[in-house]
Amino acid sequence: PEENSKHTTITDFFKGFARKTPDAGADSLDGVSPKAQPKSLLFGNNDPKDSRSQVGAAMRELTGQRIATGALLALCMTVICDWHEDDTTQVMTMLTLHGQTASAKFAELSVSTARSSVIPSLFKYTRANETSTIFSGTYDLSNGDVNDLREREILSVDVTRKGSDVYTSGQFDYSQVTTDSARVELVTTILILFIWVLGVASFAGPVMTLVVEPIERMVRLLSMLMKDPLGYQSTPQFQQFKHEGDEIADKYKSMWPKEVLKGMETNFLMSTILRIGSLMRVGFGSAGVEIIRNNLERGRHKDVLFLSKQGSSVSCIFLFCDIRQFTDATECLQEEVFVFTNKIAAVVHSICHSYGGSANKNIGDAFLLTWLLDEAPPEKEEDEDDPFRGSSNNLNLGKSDLYATHNQADKALLSVVKISMALHYDNYFVDGMNEAARNRLLTKLSKRKGPIVQMGFGLHAGKAVQGAIGSQRKLDATYISESVERSEFLESSTKKYGVPLLMSDAFYNLLDSNNRRRCRKLDQLIMLREEDEGLSDPHELLDSGEKMSIYTFDMDIEALWRPIVADDDNSMSGNIETQQRQSFGPSASSLTKRRSHLVRRASFTAREMPSLITSSSVRKDRRSSFIPARDSSKSDMEKAIQAVTEELTERPIRTLVLPSGVRHYNERAWLEPDIKKIRRDYVSNGIIFPKYQEGLKSYCAKDWEHAKQCFEFVLSQRDDGPSRCFLGRIAEHNGVPPRNFVGYTIEDL
């Protein structure tokens, strides 16, 4: 019979039971299983030609797989933990008792029998109609007190027949079922939380690896770049930074190979930051350090460029160097001139950088390099009884505001010496040019003595103001100072004195005492400004002008390619033959088989036909009879090439190797065999320098007759540019000093 309950009907109960039963085609999945969906719909197209973000593609693939798997797992666990078969014993028993308790005689017996057999949790049974209670019984529970039950722990089942006013009602102890359901819900919740945490961890791993960690590393890299824009790559922090990057790649190589990680956009951004830092370092130079640092720090939250209103004062050594006959080279090389100039710049910059210098300006055929001086002398106590006190390095000789406590001046001078050696490797500078341009250049320079690339150098030390010049559209970082002009003036004066290098007294005073002894004083100058023009009185000239003594470091680079001659000085001969070549100077031991008429050249044996001997790295004197003149016949040229090539076939191929990093300076660098050899002709007899100094003193003291004798004696020993310069001045005035001569050479600025 169809019966209805007053509170919870049997029909509603089974409807509720039906709602709790999961259906295989649950609408939560929209009838489509994620596993059945195409992979391209879930995780995106993994075609390598796809232009979408590689980081995004990897994130979508990994997180999509893990989220889908986690969602399915959570759903399955929920169904498994929540499913149970409902107990209908109470309902069916109440239906039976509704008929059996119609008679009051059997009501008590029926209820007692039911309680003792199938429904021991029944603690109250009532049969009544609309007007009166027909039967009512209350029973004790075996596992507790009825009064302790909470409302949700009591199950009420009401049974009534349609068309009748009689109904029966039973109340059951439902506490055990409620407790069991709570336990199941607790376990389900814990499992779902565990799956959720596991999913979050699985999702966070790729996010950290592909996004968060790279961004944090980028921020660290920018911090290092802000702190030291020029030298951050040589700091221990940057080396540790690179090591950490390798460790990260090794750690995740099982998930993403290195090639995949390198293709990520985050890795591209990292390498872009490195390239931008390198470009800033190259573009701004040492003078732009503060510009880069200030703009990166101050402009962190603003997309503007901060131009400092005032520069900063620094003390520097300035090296100005210029390429000789650059106009001729430009005419010959045309578009190849950039390759030619950049190779020269590579030599100059790499060598100076290896000894602590910084490139500042490239001005066509000229280069400006700097060494930053110290702000103050080292704070250390000197022993007055020490016999060697002050002999190793004169930090301040006549200049109270210039200090070179880290041998900056010695490094700068050594850089010039090394550059001068490297310039004699002709093959390095012309290799890679097209044959026509190379032949034009070699023909143009065929009558000039010395190497293909010749440069003049000027070294000066002083204060300068560094800062930014320009606007938001174009900015240059540079030094502004008379010191820069002095270095340029010294370089231009090398042509007049016939030497490749000139140094000011300000620079000379910063040299180590041993290196000062190696230098030669050439002249003493009075520098006159525009407002001093027209002064003729000697006393006014002495009072108004800026006095400067100029020095040089004499080098005979061609001596490196001459055959070794036995000498009493074993340290000069034996060491050169046996000691391995250091830095980039050529090995003298490889030159012992050289014939006497091949005394200069080491790269091209004939300029007119370089293609015949491009594999040789040897040198030959441009003044040699083997070098044909511009109007020589082709047959003579070929004979010259053949003769020299045959002579040099036994020589090993030598190439110029430029330094790639910073070198540790040592005073023993001046005792290298190559440097001793280029100095040998100047110091071997011990006469040239003293005689020249004697002539210079006589010249300044107006004893030009004796000065002439001294300079002529020096020229009789070797070809000396400064001696020829002074002899020319003496001859210009017929051997008689002018009336206003004050013992100084007057130079107008």
Side-chain angles (χ1 to χ4, degrees), residues 30-76:
D30 294 331
V32 181
S33 173
K35 293 184 179 180
Q37 295 185 25
K39 186 176 181 180
S40 60
L41 293 178
L42 282 176
F43 310 125
N45 187 7
N46 294 321
D47 187 355
K49 297 182 179 179
D50 196 353
S51 60
R52 289 178 294 180
S53 167
Q54 295 189 31
V55 174
M59 291 292 297
R60 284 193 298 271
E61 181 175 355
L62 289 172
T63 58
Q65 290 175 347
R66 293 173 181 178
I67 289 176
T69 303
L72 289 174
L73 182 61
L75 180 62
C76 293

Side-chain angles (χ1 to χ4, degrees), residues 310-466:
Q310 63 180 20
S312 57
S313 178
V314 294
S315 299
C316 290
I317 292 172
F318 298 97
L319 169 61
F320 191 90
C321 44
D322 177 80
I323 305 172
R324 298 284 188 257
Q325 291 186 249
F326 186 73
T327 303
D328 294 338
T330 303
E331 293 175 357
C332 297
L333 299 178
Q334 298 176 8
E335 66 273 6
E336 295 277 352
V337 72
F338 285 98
V339 178
F340 180 71
T341 306
N342 289 340
K343 286 190 174 182
I344 299 174
V347 171
V348 174
H349 291 172
S350 61
I351 294 175
C352 290
H353 176 263
S354 68
Y355 290 106
S358 300
N360 178 255
K361 282 290 183 183
N362 304 321
I363 316 168
D365 60 341
F367 309 99
L368 177 64
L369 299 104
T370 62
W371 281 260
L372 191 64
L373 293 174
D374 301 291
E375 297 295 333
E379 297 180 358
K380 63 178 182 179
E381 297 181 359
E382 294 184 346
D383 187 1
E384 296 182 357
D385 296 331
D386 186 0
F388 299 101
R389 182 173 61 91
S391 63
S392 60
N393 187 19
N394 193 329
L395 303 176
N396 184 355
L397 189 62
K399 293 289 183 179
S400 59
D401 52 355
L402 297 178
Y403 303 96
T405 60
H406 297 88
N407 301 101
Q408 292 95 322
D410 304 285
K411 294 176 183 177
L413 180 57
L414 184 59
S415 298
V416 174
V417 175
K418 296 291 187 178
I419 292 171
S420 300
M421 293 180 181
L423 293 181
H424 283 64
Y425 283 80
D426 291 349
N427 61 309
Y428 171 80
F429 299 101
V430 298
D431 279 351
M433 295 182 185
N434 65 66
E435 186 175 350
R438 180 170 53 187
N439 288 340
R440 288 195 302 267
L441 178 65
L442 297 178
T443 302
K444 185 75 172 180
L445 304 178
S446 60
K447 293 184 179 180
R448 189 182 71 175
K449 300 177 182 179
I452 292 176
V453 180
Q454 297 183 17
M455 301 185 73
F457 304 91
L459 279 167
H460 181 65
K463 288 189 174 293
V465 177
Q466 67 176 8

Side-chain angles (χ1 to χ4, degrees), residues 456-681:
F457 304 91
L459 279 167
H460 181 65
K463 288 189 174 293
V465 177
Q466 67 176 8
I469 297 178
S471 66
Q472 299 283 346
R473 290 176 172 80
K474 180 65 176 73
L475 190 65
D476 288 321
T478 188
Y479 295 97
I480 299 178
S481 170
E482 288 185 350
S483 299
V484 180
E485 298 176 0
R486 294 292 183 274
S487 64
E488 184 177 0
F489 164 77
L490 291 170
E491 184 281 322
S492 63
S493 299
T494 56
K495 303 173 185 177
K496 177 169 57 177
Y497 288 95
V499 293
L501 167 65
L502 283 179
M503 299 173 281
S504 67
D505 50 2
F507 173 83
Y508 171 84
N509 292 333
L510 296 175
L511 288 170
D512 180 87
S513 58
N514 292 325
N515 286 331
R516 288 200 298 271
R517 287 194 293 269
R518 294 184 175 102
C519 298
R520 174 167 53 139
K521 181 178 179 180
L522 296 187
D523 199 358
Q524 51 191 26
L525 313 177
I526 289 183
M527 319 289 287
L528 295 180
R529 295 180 173 82
E530 294 182 1
E531 57 270 20
D532 298 328
E533 291 182 1
L535 296 178
S536 58
D537 183 82
H539 298 288
E540 292 181 349
L541 290 173
L542 291 173
D543 294 338
S544 302
E546 175 188 345
K547 299 179 181 64
M548 176 192 293
S549 296
I550 57 175
Y551 300 79
T552 191
F553 184 87
D554 293 283
M555 299 174 285
D556 182 13
I557 307 297
E558 301 288 354
L560 293 171
W561 284 270
R562 296 195 192 107
I564 296 177
V565 180
D567 197 307
D568 293 337
D569 185 0
N570 295 328
S571 64
M572 297 291 287
S573 59
N575 289 343
I576 294 176
E577 293 184 12
T578 58
Q579 188 168 348
Q580 182 180 5
R581 175 172 63 90
Q582 298 182 9
S583 181
F584 30 76
S587 174
S589 62
S590 65
L591 306 175
T592 56
K593 299 180 181 180
R594 193 76 184 262
R595 286 205 305 239
S596 60
H597 61 277
L598 301 174
V599 294
R600 299 282 181 176
R601 307 295 298 145
S603 61
F604 288 100
T605 57
R607 220 180 339 242
E608 301 287 346
M609 299 291 291
S611 60
L612 299 179
I613 53 171
T614 52
S615 63
S616 175
S617 298
V618 295
R619 299 187 53 83
K620 183 181 182 303
D621 191 359
R622 288 184 174 85
R623 294 169 288 184
S624 172
S625 59
F626 282 94
I627 299 297
R630 197 175 306 176
D631 57 349
S632 298
S633 64
K634 183 177 180 180
S635 60
D636 292 338
M637 184 191 312
E638 291 177 348
K639 291 179 181 179
I641 294 172
Q642 183 178 1
V644 178
T645 304
E646 291 176 355
E647 174 67 25
L648 301 172
T649 52
E650 297 182 2
R651 287 174 47 81
I653 295 177
R654 301 287 177 180
T655 57
L656 176 62
V657 180
L658 297 177
S660 58
V662 178
R663 294 175 179 267
H664 175 69
Y665 174 77
N666 192 305
E667 292 181 358
R668 295 193 60 82
W670 298 97
L671 302 179
E672 292 179 6
D674 293 334
I675 295 182
K676 292 167 73 174
K677 190 168 186 181
I678 66 176
R679 296 276 296 168
R680 182 174 185 172
D681 286 353

Side-chain angles (χ1 to χ4, degrees), residues 72-252:
L72 289 174
L73 182 61
L75 180 62
C76 293
M77 293 300 299
T78 302
V79 171
I80 292 172
C81 294
D82 194 45
W83 182 87
H84 63 279
E85 185 177 359
D86 284 350
D87 185 6
T88 60
T89 303
Q90 293 92 341
V91 176
M92 299 306 296
T93 303
M94 286 296 295
L95 287 174
T96 302
L97 290 177
H98 183 76
Q100 292 178 351
T101 57
S103 172
K105 297 179 180 180
F106 298 100
E108 181 64 29
L109 180 61
S110 298
V111 172
S112 299
T113 303
R115 287 190 73 254
S116 62
S117 59
V118 293
I119 51 173
S121 59
L122 178 67
F123 63 86
K124 185 176 181 180
Y125 183 83
T126 303
R127 182 182 181 87
N129 54 26
E130 294 180 355
T131 58
S132 62
T133 300
I134 301 174
F135 174 80
S136 178
T138 302
Y139 311 96
D140 295 331
L141 297 174
S142 61
N143 57 350
D145 188 0
V146 174
N147 296 326
D148 295 335
L149 295 177
R150 291 172 292 182
E151 183 178 355
R152 63 179 182 178
E153 295 177 343
I154 299 175
L155 174 65
S156 297
V157 179
D158 297 336
V159 181
T160 183
R161 184 183 297 274
K162 188 176 181 180
S164 172
D165 60 349
V166 178
Y167 66 90
T168 57
S169 175
Q171 293 183 347
F172 298 85
D173 177 10
Y174 209 65
S175 60
Q176 186 62 40
V177 176
T178 304
T179 302
D180 294 341
S181 299
R183 290 173 180 171
V184 170
E185 290 179 0
L186 180 62
V187 172
T188 303
T189 302
I190 293 174
L191 285 174
I192 293 176
L193 287 176
F194 175 75
I195 295 173
W196 180 79
V197 171
L198 188 63
V200 170
S202 300
F203 177 78
V207 172
M208 291 295 295
T209 305
L210 299 177
V211 181
V212 178
E213 289 182 359
I215 291 176
E216 291 177 348
R217 286 173 53 78
M218 291 179 204
V219 174
R220 288 177 55 195
L221 181 60
L222 287 174
S223 299
M224 288 186 283
L225 188 62
M226 285 189 292
K227 185 177 180 180
D228 188 2
L230 295 186
Y232 73 95
Q233 291 185 342
S234 59
T235 59
Q237 292 80 3
F238 183 76
Q239 301 303 321
Q240 178 66 23
F241 178 82
K242 291 177 59 179
H243 180 67
E244 290 176 358
D246 296 335
E247 288 182 345
I248 291 174
D250 293 337
K251 180 180 179 181
Y252 297 104

